[in-house]
Amino acid sequence: MKITFKRVETEAEVTAVAQLASEIWLDYYIRLISREQIEYMLENFQSVHAISDQLQEEGYEYYLMQLNGQNVGYIGVKPEEDKLFLSKFYILKEYRGKGYASVGMAFLLQVCNAHKLSAIWLTVNRNNDAAIAVYEKKGFKKVQTQVADIGNGYVMDDYIMEKEIALAY
């Protein structure tokens, strides 16, 4: 069984990411935020329209994580001046705990090297203890806190975490 990463380029692939987002977010985030906020965030940040805009207008790259050709998760990144913003890293519930996050992290190091970036940074909900523990295990450190207004009366109460990368040219 091998995990591969397929760069999202077609409308069908964008639709697959949006479907994964809906399934994963509604299952996972319900313990952390309200269903209304999840649905608002899905519509505004992970719908077909929102993902298409991120790809075409904002410089994001999305990748489908595939196990033997089946979509099991996705990664969304945005290369910046000297760091990679890890915007999304989600795996379907039945595939978590099988080492696929480590495979995803190795892939992210390849992305950093390809773009000559020296760090990966991300935001994570301050109450998302499971994700924080995974990121810390992978070498990320909390560097600051952030409360961001995302509209409609909702805020993201996050840690910003970062991992420095040793580039391999």
Side-chain angles (χ1 to χ4, degrees):
M1 294 216 216
K2 183 174 191 245
I3 290 285
T4 57
F5 297 88
K6 168 75 177 92
R7 186 162 178 165
V8 172
E9 298 174 318
T10 68
E11 188 175 326
E13 291 164 347
V14 169
T15 299
V17 170
Q19 289 170 341
L20 283 167
S22 183
E23 181 177 344
I24 294 167
W25 287 34
L26 287 167
D27 170 65
Y28 188 84
Y29 282 111
I30 201 67
R31 341 179 280 265
L32 298 170
I33 57 178
S34 71
R35 182 177 188 89
E36 293 77 19
Q37 182 171 347
I38 296 167
E39 290 172 355
Y40 173 83
M41 291 174 67
L42 284 168
E43 178 60 31
N44 287 278
F45 306 117
Q46 291 291 269
S47 64
V48 169
H49 175 75
I51 295 166
S52 295
D53 280 353
Q54 291 167 22
L55 290 169
Q56 295 166 12
E57 309 293 333
E58 299 176 36
Y60 281 80
E61 299 172 7
Y62 275 82
Y63 299 89
L64 286 164
M65 291 181 68
Q66 298 179 323
L67 178 63
N68 300 325
Q70 178 182 340
N71 296 330
V72 299
Y74 69 102
I75 293 175
V77 297
K78 182 178 181 184
E80 297 178 337
E81 191 170 309
D82 59 348
K83 297 178 184 178
L84 183 71
F85 173 47
L86 176 55
S87 176
K88 312 286 182 286
F89 188 173
Y90 295 104
I91 300 172
L92 288 167
K93 183 177 187 173
E94 59 268 31
Y95 297 97
R96 292 181 206 139
K98 299 182 184 305
Y100 300 148
S102 294
V103 176
M105 288 305 302
F107 174 74
L108 289 168
L109 296 179
Q110 293 173 2
V111 173
C112 283
N113 277 310
H115 289 287
K116 297 179 175 44
L117 303 172
S118 62
I120 303 172
W121 73 278
L122 58 87
T123 60
V124 59
N125 183 298
R126 280 193 242 186
N127 296 313
N128 193 346
D129 295 332
I132 292 167
V134 169
Y135 288 125
E136 287 178 335
K137 184 177 177 184
K138 303 298 179 201
F140 284 80
K141 302 210 178 333
K142 296 173 190 161
V143 293
Q144 69 184 75
T145 58
Q146 165 182 286
V147 177
D149 183 341
I150 60 169
N152 211 40
Y154 299 120
V155 297
M156 298 294 292
D157 187 10
D158 294 330
Y159 287 118
I160 295 175
M161 299 183 77
E162 188 170 303
K163 174 185 175 85
E164 291 191 21
I165 305 298
L167 292 174
Y169 291 94

